[in-house]
Amino acid sequence: MLHQGSWFSSLMILSAIFSLTSFMLKSEGANHTVGDSSGWELLTNYTNWTQGREFHVGDVLVFNYNKDQHNVMQVNSTAYADCGRDNYISLFTNGNDSIIISEVGEHWFICAMYDHCENGQKLSINATL
């Protein structure tokens, strides 16, 4: 028969194992193909695309696009609002870019080619744990 202290210790160990397992499963993350089958292109409304989706740390944003016509620039909130291209965080140009969400919070992406950002080719997401 377990003593009350032993029972509590066993319960705490099981709880820790469950929490660690849940974290490990979640850390694999989900893939989100930006724009679904349309990909990263000029005519998609990315605000609508994010509706009903949840983004978490460890998830992957997959940007598929024609690299001769588009790119993906990760920017701050000001550059997102103004379509600024001077002070970016990262620039992706492969045409099939996978970006792992590594931090909680807002993340902003624009296409820096021509006037694409000004015409709506930009994405804002909010990632949680």
Side-chain angles (χ1 to χ4, degrees), residues 5 14 30 48 57 69 78 80 97 103 107 110:
L14 285 173
N48 289 345
V57 172
Q69 297 178 5
T78 302
Y80 177 82
D97 301 306
E103 298 176 4
H107 300 268
I110 66 171

Side-chain angles (χ1 to χ4, degrees), residues 20-59:
L20 183 58
T21 302
S22 295
F23 176 75
M24 289 172 64
L25 289 174
K26 189 162 192 83
S27 67
E28 290 180 21
N31 283 347
H32 301 277
T33 301
V34 176
D36 296 321
S37 61
S38 296
W40 181 239
E41 53 89 34
L42 194 53
L43 300 177
T44 299
N45 182 322
Y46 294 100
T47 301
N48 289 345
W49 178 81
T50 62
Q51 297 303 306
R53 295 178 192 271
E54 293 183 7
F55 301 95
H56 302 279
V57 172
D59 285 359

